[in-house]
């Protein structure tokens, strides 16, 4: 259903997670697990809304250096396919309403791998300028770090 | 699934169409029928893409005064519920990619009515300024006119 990757507009990152797909899915869709990996440590994450259905709100907050929680992501789920795929955007907020600061749509895909789960994120932007800004803001480091945190969390649960 | 109407941010319009819901649905989802009512006459409409599924592209063109076809709407379907509801936005384009010029999300609802079909459009904006701009651009006249054209088309098919 999704289009192929456009290197001018998109950023992608993937990683093998040594845990079954169901565990990865649970760590994504259970807010108390999600909060443990979504933001690079030592900053903390709070899930304010996670309505896992098309049009559902997806809102997280961040606390850095022990400070108050501040807005982080305010977006909308576009597709939630059990155990396989989650699509969300910050171009819309809950109920599909246009957002104040649209920037990206992300397609998260989980596929079986002989050693666990192949976890992939495909992040789409409206322009090459936005794509490059996201890369310069530290896309690979940031998303790589939190996917690493996700892997650590679920790989611990396998044992 | 959709949120309630927010009068500060939303515009709504509805009309009784004296035809069964299936005929109204067909006039929406068949491109050659859709082209006959989507743009106020005498301007002409061409459907370039109408992929009726979440993430599907929705692109129309307009020709005014017999001139070349120009871009009109470039958007993305968010939900397509057979015979009942269509949700689309121009905050995203096909494949859910963020759009260059986001402005609105529309929820089109068809409900049975003793005399035909209750047709309703709920149009959501990100801000009161956008909502008011849309109203001043002629929302009620424009959407009212084309829903009238839709009614005329399908009511003719009943007889």
């Amino acid at each position: 259903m999704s289009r192929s990757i456009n290197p001018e507009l998109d950023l992608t990152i993937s990683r093998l997670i040594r845990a079954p797909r169901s565990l990865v899915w649970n760590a994504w869709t259970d807010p108390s697990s999600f909060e443990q990996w979504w933001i690079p440590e030592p900053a903390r994450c709070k899930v304010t809304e996670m309505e896992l259905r098309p049009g559902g709100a997806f809102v997280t907050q961040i606390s850095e250096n022990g400070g108050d929680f501040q807005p982080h992501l305010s977006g909308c789920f576009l597709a939630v396919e059990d155990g396989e795929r989650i699509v969300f955007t910050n171009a819309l907020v809950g109920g599909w309403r246009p957002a104040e600061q649209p920037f990206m749509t992300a397609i998260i895909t989980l596929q079986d791998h002989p050693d666990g789960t192949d976890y992939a994120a495909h992040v789409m932007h409206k322009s090459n300028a936005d794509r490059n800004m996201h890369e310069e803001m530290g896309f690979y480091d940031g998303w790589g770090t939190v996917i690493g945190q996700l892997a650590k969390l679920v790989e611990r649960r396998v044992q």
Side-chain angles (χ1 to χ4, degrees), chain A:
Chain A
M1 197 184 296
S2 69
R3 307 306 174 89
S4 55
I5 290 160
N6 180 336
E8 293 291 309
L9 301 176
D10 300 348
L11 293 164
T12 63
I13 190 166
S14 64
R15 164 176 183 140
L16 168 63
I17 298 180
R18 296 182 183 279
R21 204 151 47 84
S22 61
L23 281 187
V24 180
W25 182 259
N26 290 344
W28 223 108
T29 56
D30 169 59
S32 65
S33 291
F34 186 83
E35 290 174 344
Q36 295 176 49
W37 65 267
W38 180 241
I39 289 177
E41 294 174 347
R44 294 176 59 209
C45 173
K46 187 188 287 183
V47 173
T48 308
E49 296 191 79
M50 184 183 265
E51 300 176 317
L52 290 158
R53 51 179 172 70
F58 180 26
V59 182
T60 61
Q61 294 185 311
I62 184 170
S63 163
E64 293 182 286
N65 305 315
D68 291 343
F69 279 94
Q70 306 288 337
H72 181 242
L73 172 74
S74 179
C76 180
F77 289 106
L78 297 169
V80 180
E81 293 157 22
D82 196 29
E84 294 183 358
R85 192 165 78 138
I86 292 171
V87 185
F88 67 91
T89 189
N90 69 356
L92 303 171
V93 297
W96 294 301
R97 181 181 299 282
E100 286 282 354
Q101 299 187 311
F103 185 59
M104 65 164 186
T105 296
I107 301 180
I108 308 296
T109 310
L110 278 55
Q111 287 188 290
D112 288 329
H113 181 282
D115 296 323
T117 302
D118 187 9
Y119 184 95
H122 170 195
V123 182
M124 299 184 286
H125 308 86
K126 69 175 184 294
S127 63
N128 183 249
D130 275 11
R131 178 227 172 268
N132 292 345
M133 180 168 71
H134 202 176
E135 183 173 6
E136 284 154 24
M137 283 162 58
F139 171 81
Y140 293 108
D141 188 36
W143 285 63
T145 296
V146 306
I147 297 170
Q149 293 179 171
L150 168 62
K152 191 173 156 192
L153 178 72
V154 296
E155 287 170 2
R156 204 164 55 218
R157 291 176 176 177
V158 176
Q159 292 148 16

